[in-house]
Amino acid sequence: MSWKEIWIAFKAVFIKEVLRFSRIWIQTILPPAITMSLYFIIFGNLIGRAIGKMGGFQYIDYIVPGLIMMSVITNSYSNVVSSFFSAKMHGNVQELLISPTPNIIILLGFVAGGVARGLGVGAVVTVVALFFTDLNIQHPIMTLLVVILTSFLFSTAGFINAIYAKSFDAVNIVPIFILTPLTYLGGVFYSVNMLPPFWRDVSLFNPILYMVNGFRYGILGISDITPTATFTLLFVFIGLLFSVAIFLLSRGIGLRD
Amino acid sequence: MAKNSDNLIKDKNPPALQIRNLKKTYDNGMVALNGIDLTIEQGDFFALLGANGAGKSTAIGAVCSLVNKTSGTIKVFGHDLDFERDMVKSFIGLVPQEFNFNIFEPVIEIIVNQGGYYGIQRKEAFRRAEALLKHLDLWDKHKQKARNLSGGMKRRLMIARALIHNPKLLILDEPTAGVDIEIRRSMWVFLKQLNSAGTTIILTTHYLEEAENMCKNIAILDNGEVIENSNMKQLLSHLQTERLVFDLKEPMATLPSSELFKIQFQDANTLEIELDKNSSLNFVFDFFNQHNIQILSMRNKRNRLEEFFMERISQNNKEKVSV
Ligand SMILES: Nc1ncnc2c1ncn2[C@@H]1O[C@H](COP(=O)(O)OP(=O)(O)OP(=O)(O)O)[C@@H](O)[C@H]1O
Ligand SMILES: [Mg+2]
């Protein structure tokens, strides 16, 4: 395929992905907006007042970046895992497998779809947050970079999950048993500096901590983690997962008998 | 892409598809293809026949990059699948046996997206999709979600999808399964036109009448092996006898015999006659007149290809047992 044809193929996969989650926006866009509003009302407004300040900020301001990030992570992941898994189960992934579209474009197309949903939901949650508080973004470029890279990373992870998944159960295992706990423990609601030293050190093994804090640094200008550590971790994980995904795709694991 | 690939064809006239010693053993140990050879020339209308489980879909899957072959070579218009996979993919259009589109997508989206995967601009793909859907009598459904289509419409949707990039080789895996007779006939006309316009077509079907009507060459697969590969006309001309069935006006009790052909009762109202294919039907009617037998209607017992097919497969099984 020529570069132009490759670009057309990428757009085709991407548009299909965006149309897919847009068609079912009641399942994909609305629920996070509602859940996050509840978080803002309960944790931010009601309980937050009792908590007082954290990291020098009102509690609601402190948790806003974490909650946005949480919705970006889960939505990026679940978009790709459910879309690619059902393409596999219903056989329509064959439309791509028989075509000359290169594997890397298939992957990038699905990942871009996941990023679109992650950022879309992130934007909706941000708008909801603006009803409760004001946001003064300190480092806009860093904010944007962290959120895009995080979304990219979890979209790629969702893709790998879909390749291995053999049932709809297997699609939910990772989000429920790994992603959600890691996110809750990833400094969304508290600063790890509040933890006893041992648990603080353990927390440093949680990659999501780096992303949440990187994003918080972008918005509020405070973080438990240095921006360098955040970016290093993001690039290393993206490099790793992306290579794994390409390898699995080229071997046709779970796709070709 | 299909257009510029014309000048990339290496030999002047390499076969549309050349398969050498193709083997496939599935992970569970099932040997689906046991070293098959097939050559399908450009412009052919080729029937790939075989009982359920013979290995037809597996062979097609290997050609279309949906099944990893265990060994062997596959060349499409002279290009080796192992070395020029993308080129090979761009030559082929596939209508799979199972419905494999996203049933929640609208018909037009499914086809236009498929065009995108072959590098065709959306606008152009839309234009082609419209023409194809109109031709296949499906345009009034183009905005419908695919799940709202009937079975026969879904088959036609898959045909349109397979043709969006103007493939030089169209492979149809049971395209007429579950399609009513009227639509089936119109599909035949459509495919014949396509073939006359230069597209090489490979077709699997369990309706042997269909293969007999449309196909120039034929292969029969049985248990992962090619047990017959020949020209349809020649093959049919080798069939020695023909069986005819006659419905009688009145039931008969005793059966007169003839020296010119074999005759037997199916039941008291129906006679079956096995006739050498060179002998004249007039003998049969003379015979009926002599014995004052009144005939209401007559038909072929089975279509001739079907006859051959059954014979050839049972022969193959006998050979297997005796080895
Ligand atoms: N994914 C698979 N894993 C294991 N065995 C398989 C798989 N797919 C097919 N087979 C086996 O391979 C053999 C050939 O199957 P194939 O689908 O190629 O037959 P076919 O000729 O297309 O039959 P049909 O006319 O029923 O479509 C069968 O015995 C089948 O059970
Ligand atoms: Mg089959």
Side-chain angles (χ1 to χ4, degrees):
Chain A
M1 283 181 124
S2 67
W3 286 108
K4 191 177 161 214
E5 289 168 334
I6 287 178
W7 172 240
I8 293 171
F10 169 77
K11 275 195 304 188
V13 183
F14 177 65
I15 291 172
K16 171 180 68 76
E17 282 302 289
V18 172
L19 287 178
R20 190 197 74 91
F21 74 71
S22 311
R23 263 198 302 269
I24 47 170
W25 64 277
I26 295 187
Q27 290 170 53
T28 52
I29 311 281
L30 196 58
I34 293 175
T35 326
M36 288 306 147
S37 305
L38 291 174
Y39 274 117
F40 289 133
I41 294 171
I42 296 169
F43 289 104
N45 254 335
L46 303 178
I47 300 180
R49 271 189 220 127
I51 293 177
K53 291 208 165 194
M54 187 164 302
F57 287 87
Q58 293 294 330
Y59 188 60
I60 185 161
D61 293 332
Y62 187 83
I63 62 171
V64 163
L67 290 176
I68 295 173
M69 207 54 160
M70 191 156 118
S71 22
V72 170
I73 290 175
T74 39
N75 280 281
S76 308
Y77 193 93
S78 54
N79 194 67
V80 182
V81 74
S82 50
S83 176
F84 195 66
F85 178 72
S86 68
K88 215 174 81 164
M89 289 317 275
H90 298 141
N92 50 302
V93 69
Q94 293 179 357
E95 293 175 337
L96 281 159
L97 297 181
I98 62 168
S99 81
T101 302
N103 287 331
I104 191 162
I105 295 301
I106 299 179
L107 176 57
L108 283 174
F110 273 88
V111 167
V115 171
R117 162 133 163 233
L119 297 188
V121 171
V124 170
V125 173
T126 308
V127 170
V128 171
L130 291 176
F131 285 102
F132 298 91
T133 180
D134 294 327
L135 283 178
N136 283 313
I137 299 177
Q138 299 298 310
H139 308 285
I141 295 182
M142 165 131 185
T143 309
L144 217 55
L145 269 180
V146 172
V147 74
I148 291 173
L149 290 173
T150 305
S151 182
F152 192 99
L153 169 57
F154 282 95
S155 298
T156 313
F159 192 90
I160 296 175
N161 188 170
I163 284 189
Y164 280 113
K166 292 212 163 64
S167 67
F168 278 99
D169 286 341
V171 164
N172 293 322
I173 286 177
V174 177
I176 292 174
F177 292 102
I178 300 180
L179 227 49
T180 309
L182 283 185
T183 311
Y184 276 83
L185 299 173
V188 171
F189 296 103
Y190 55 83
S191 160
V192 284
N193 292 325
M194 293 163 59
L195 299 175
F198 174 76
W199 290 111
R200 199 194 92 88
D201 291 346
V202 169
S203 293
L204 293 178
F205 285 98
N206 178 358
I208 292 181
L209 181 79
Y210 294 73
M211 300 164 207
V212 167
N213 272 284
F215 192 61
R216 180 174 289 135
Y217 179 81
I219 291 182
L220 300 181
I222 54 155
S223 172
D224 298 342
I225 306 284
T226 67
T228 321
T230 297
F231 281 116
T232 310
L233 178 122
L234 278 168
F235 282 116
V236 167
F237 270 80
I238 286 175
L240 206 73
L241 293 184
F242 202 78
S243 319
V244 170
I246 286 290
F247 172 76
L248 294 173
L249 207 47
S250 67
R251 295 294 298 273
I253 309 273
L255 299 172
R256 258 176 274 148
D257 290 304
Chain B
M1 201 153 41
K3 265 180 210 149
N4 1 334
S5 51
D6 279 7
N7 28 7
L8 291 166
I9 292 175
K10 281 176 185 164
D11 299 343
K12 239 188 170 173
N13 268 323
L17 177 63
Q18 190 176 44
I19 293 178
R20 286 288 164 268
N21 202 15
L22 178 63
K23 294 188 182 177
K24 173 63 190 178
T25 306
Y26 282 105
D27 289 344
N28 62 2
M30 173 73 214
V31 180
L33 296 175
N34 197 6
I36 63 167
D37 293 307
L38 275 181
T39 301
I40 295 165
E41 297 298 341
Q42 291 189 26
D44 202 351
F45 203 135
F46 192 92
L48 186 59
L49 306 179
N52 288 137
K56 306 178 294 296
S57 297
T58 303
I60 290 172
V63 172
C64 297
S65 300
L66 292 175
V67 169
N68 285 328
K69 62 185 164 64
T70 306
S71 64
T73 55
I74 295 171
K75 284 187 183 169
V76 177
F77 296 101
H79 297 271
D80 192 317
L81 183 68
D82 289 330
F83 303 110
E84 295 168 281
R85 188 173 290 272
D86 288 354
M87 170 84 66
V88 166
K89 282 173 165 179
S90 66
F91 287 135
I92 304 176
L94 171 67
V95 179
Q97 182 172 2
E98 313 280 348
F99 300 133
N100 71 340
F101 39 78
N102 183 342
I103 53 169
F104 300 110
E105 279 174 10
V107 168
I108 188 78
E109 283 293 320
I110 291 174
I111 303 174
V112 168
N113 281 339
Q114 189 69 31
Y117 306 155
Y118 289 88
I120 301 164
Q121 296 269 24
R122 266 187 111 68
K123 234 192 197 161
E124 168 66 9
F126 189 91
R127 200 187 56 71
R128 291 190 197 181
E130 179 175 349
L132 284 166
L133 288 174
K134 283 185 173 156
H135 213 118
L136 286 158
D137 213 6
L138 211 55
W139 178 245
D140 54 334
K141 301 275 180 191
H142 75 281
K143 285 184 181 159
Q144 294 270 322
K145 290 195 173 153
R147 70 164 161 190
N148 296 344
L149 301 187
S150 74
M153 293 173 184
K154 286 176 181 156
R155 293 262 164 227
R156 280 178 281 156
L157 160 59
M158 295 207 295
I159 294 181
R161 185 184 61 178
L163 290 172
I164 190 70
H165 60 296
N166 293 328
K168 295 165 63 67
L169 171 62
L170 178 65
I171 305 180
L172 305 113
D173 199 348
E174 298 190 30
T176 51
V179 172
D180 74 42
I181 183 70
E182 195 187 336
I183 302 285
R184 203 182 314 158
R185 293 245 153 90
S186 68
M187 262 192 205
W188 293 351
V189 173
F190 180 80
L191 293 175
K192 272 188 175 161
Q193 281 173 359
L194 210 60
N195 179 245
S196 331
T199 309
T200 310
I201 299 183
I202 301 174
L203 173 92
T204 83
T205 178
H206 292 290
Y207 302 109
L208 298 185
E209 173 205 0
E210 178 169 297
E212 185 174 337
N213 277 335
M214 296 210 288
C215 298
K216 300 172 192 161
N217 290 293
I218 169 181
I220 298 179
L221 271 180
D222 193 31
N223 282 315
E225 280 165 14
V226 177
I227 59 169
E228 182 70 44
N229 184 359
S230 49
N231 179 278
M232 182 77 77
K233 282 213 184 91
Q234 279 172 9
L235 183 144
L236 292 177
S237 70
H238 286 149
L239 292 178
Q240 290 309 313
T241 60
E242 196 161 3
R243 277 173 218 251
L244 298 170
V245 176
F246 296 86
D247 297 313
L248 306 179
K249 197 168 181 191
E250 281 150 16
M252 278 172 64
T254 51
L255 189 65
S257 67
S258 163
E259 286 172 1
L260 295 166
F261 44 82
K262 273 193 238 161
I263 179 164
Q264 65 184 73
F265 274 127
Q266 273 189 357
D267 55 54
N269 283 308
T270 324
L271 282 181
E272 186 181 320
I273 283 177
E274 187 177 342
L275 185 70
D276 190 283
K277 82 170 179 351
N278 294 320
S279 59
S280 156
L281 263 179
N282 290 23
F283 293 129
V284 181
F285 289 110
D286 289 347
F287 171 84
F288 286 144
N289 288 335
Q290 268 167 33
H291 295 87
N292 204 11
I293 300 171
Q294 302 288 312
I295 302 297
L296 276 182
S297 61
M298 110 184 206
R299 62 198 134 90
N300 279 60
K301 184 179 180 195
R302 262 203 296 232
N303 107 315
R304 294 185 301 160
L305 181 60
E306 203 164 304
E307 199 81 34
F308 174 80
F309 180 82
M310 297 310 291
E311 211 169 275
R312 194 64 192 77
I313 285 199
S314 69
Q315 190 184 331
N316 188 51
N317 290 343
K318 272 183 216 145
E319 280 163 16
K320 278 232 166 92
V321 172
S322 59
V323 174

